[in-house]
Amino acid sequence: MAEKEGSAVPAQSKGSWSSFLKSIASFNGDLSSMTAPAFILSTTSLTEFSSYWTEHPSIFVAPAAEKDPAKRAVLVLKWFLSTLKQQYASRSEKLGSEKKPLNPFLGELFLGKWEDAAGTTQLVSEQVSHHPPVTAYSIWNNQHGVRLQGYNAQKASFKTTINVKQIGHAMLHLDAFNEDYLITLPSLHIEGLISGSPFVELNGSTYIQSSSGYTSRIDYSGKGWVSGKKNTFSAVVYPDGREKEKLYTAEGQWSDAFQIKDHKTKTVIAAHDHKVTKPTQLFVAAVEQQDDLETRRAWKKVADAIVKGDMDKTSYEKTIIENRQREMRKQEKEAGHEWERTFFTRSASNPLFERLAGKVGEKVNDTLTNGVWIFDEKKASTATSPFHPEVQPPIYELKK
């Protein structure tokens, strides 16, 4: 379906694109709430974006087999860097330009799994908050004892271009070493607005902080007016608090290829090339076998209308979903209870996050994400119906 979305702004839509840009420039508030022209709308909901973390499962689980903690930190860095193209560049390369994703409704679910040489890697993604919009996810591979969970929200604003600040974090856990890694999320902005071919560029710095005593800092830069390449980054791995004592360095383009080197010997110890290593296919149940809360079933009529370029139909079908949600929230308020999340629970705090985050100056920002969200294994172990366990066994199977 998504491949048919089209590419950059069609010639007949240049006028409406210009009007849209003018409305962005004068808009006050979160841009995610704006209605975009049909040709720039995506058929994909933000709940699906969680899958971009693990489209290379073998790279995801590789740190679990490394006994040296410093080299494990390097392999975690390599995995993180390998996810950036899928997260931030795959859509513009595939579709011709970046598209505005569908805003998930509260309770929306996206479930899937990967099957490859790494075994079975499973994904649960859930919209845990609507105001503000927050997506939480858990990804795990029991065979290798690797688990990732996190949540994120976005704040979009306009100042010469569209700027998006990501709020939230991810936590990677390796069972074999009882080791954790805090991953902070990059800020981004949209390039190519004037030409009508939007694409994402990352900016600023992010960190990967391990519980074993190593820090990775990634610095992002794009193509300048005079020189440079887009999607460029440099990274360094160092012992906690001793940033000048570089152990490993990395550089390249996160959307193309990069290398990681031993800082002293300059020997290449790890590399990744997206032209060579292709993403592993994600398996998702057929739409007709999905539950009503699952993303692709819930948004099918909207997605079909977007593909056809029928803005009236798109608005009509979106309004049905939005009105249903408003009515549900009203009924919950009148009854004095809150929507029960299927896989996640709101927590008052996260001591592990606070301990690791303090080392890199990261804040939990729970007031901006409607709380701290934790994957609830008890909920997940009983979430068998109505979520078609016969279609995707063993998607809810957790390590006991």
Side-chain angles (χ1 to χ4, degrees), residues 6 17 58 64 101-102 125 261 273 349 354 359-360 365 378 390:
W17 177 248
S58 294
L102 297 169
S125 179
K261 297 179 180 180
D273 188 337
S349 64
E354 292 166 6
K359 297 183 178 182
V360 293
N365 290 320
K378 184 177 180 181
E390 73 286 352

Side-chain angles (χ1 to χ4, degrees), residues 115-128:
E115 297 278 5
D116 66 356
T120 300
T121 306
Q122 303 179 85
L123 162 70
V124 168
S125 179
E126 179 175 4
Q127 193 70 6
V128 292

Side-chain angles (χ1 to χ4, degrees), residues 313-327:
K313 181 70 169 175
T314 299
S315 297
Y316 174 77
E317 296 296 344
K318 281 183 65 180
T319 300
I320 291 176
I321 294 174
E322 291 162 357
N323 287 342
R324 184 186 305 134
Q325 287 293 304
R326 276 192 286 268
E327 181 60 29

Side-chain angles (χ1 to χ4, degrees), residues 79-299:
W79 157 72
F80 172 74
L81 294 172
S82 76
T83 72
L84 296 178
K85 177 178 180 176
Q86 293 306 114
Q87 295 200 55
Y88 302 110
S90 60
R91 296 175 301 280
S92 59
E93 291 186 2
K94 185 177 183 181
L95 307 173
S97 71
E98 185 66 21
K99 304 290 185 179
K100 182 181 184 295
L102 297 169
N103 293 327
F105 54 83
L106 180 61
E108 182 175 322
L109 297 168
F110 183 66
L111 314 173
K113 63 178 180 179
W114 297 266
E115 297 278 5
D116 66 356
T120 300
T121 306
Q122 303 179 85
L123 162 70
V124 168
S125 179
E126 179 175 4
Q127 193 70 6
V128 292
S129 176
H130 187 63
H131 296 296
V134 181
T135 307
Y137 50 86
S138 181
I139 303 170
W140 66 95
N141 182 302
N142 285 341
Q143 181 177 330
H144 295 272
V146 180
R147 292 179 278 128
L148 176 77
Q149 64 170 293
Y151 58 92
N152 64 281
Q154 298 86 24
K155 283 287 185 182
S157 60
F158 185 87
K159 186 177 182 181
T160 69
T161 187
I162 296 175
N163 298 283
V164 180
K165 178 177 176 55
Q166 297 197 91
I167 305 161
H169 62 272
M171 296 285 288
L172 180 73
H173 181 81
L174 305 179
D175 287 351
F177 309 101
N178 193 26
E179 189 171 76
D180 296 279
Y181 294 80
L182 167 67
I183 300 156
T184 66
L185 307 177
S187 295
L188 57 97
H189 61 275
I190 308 297
E191 298 277 7
L193 287 176
I194 302 302
S195 65
S197 298
F199 67 92
V200 169
E201 188 63 87
L202 303 181
N203 50 263
S205 302
T206 62
Y207 292 87
I208 304 175
Q209 178 62 54
S210 78
S211 61
S212 59
Y214 296 94
T215 305
S216 297
R217 190 192 75 237
I218 305 99
D219 301 313
Y220 307 95
S221 60
K223 185 176 182 180
W225 287 102
V226 179
S227 63
K229 297 179 180 180
K230 72 175 185 178
N231 307 152
T232 301
F233 78 91
S234 61
V236 59
V237 180
Y238 56 90
D240 288 359
R242 307 203 302 272
E243 194 165 352
K244 292 183 179 181
E245 298 178 24
K246 299 178 182 179
L247 300 177
Y248 303 97
T249 58
E251 62 181 12
Q253 289 175 277
W254 50 262
S255 59
D256 188 10
F258 60 83
Q259 293 182 335
I260 302 176
K261 297 179 180 180
D262 183 295
H263 181 63
K264 288 184 179 180
T265 66
K266 309 304 179 185
T267 303
V268 176
I269 62 167
H272 184 79
D273 188 337
H274 285 288
K275 294 186 293 293
V276 175
T277 307
K278 302 300 181 182
T280 298
Q281 180 184 357
L282 174 69
F283 292 98
V284 179
V287 169
E288 60 272 13
Q289 295 172 316
Q290 293 184 14
D291 183 81
D292 289 341
L293 289 176
E294 291 187 67
T295 294
R296 294 185 183 177
R297 179 171 182 139
W299 290 103

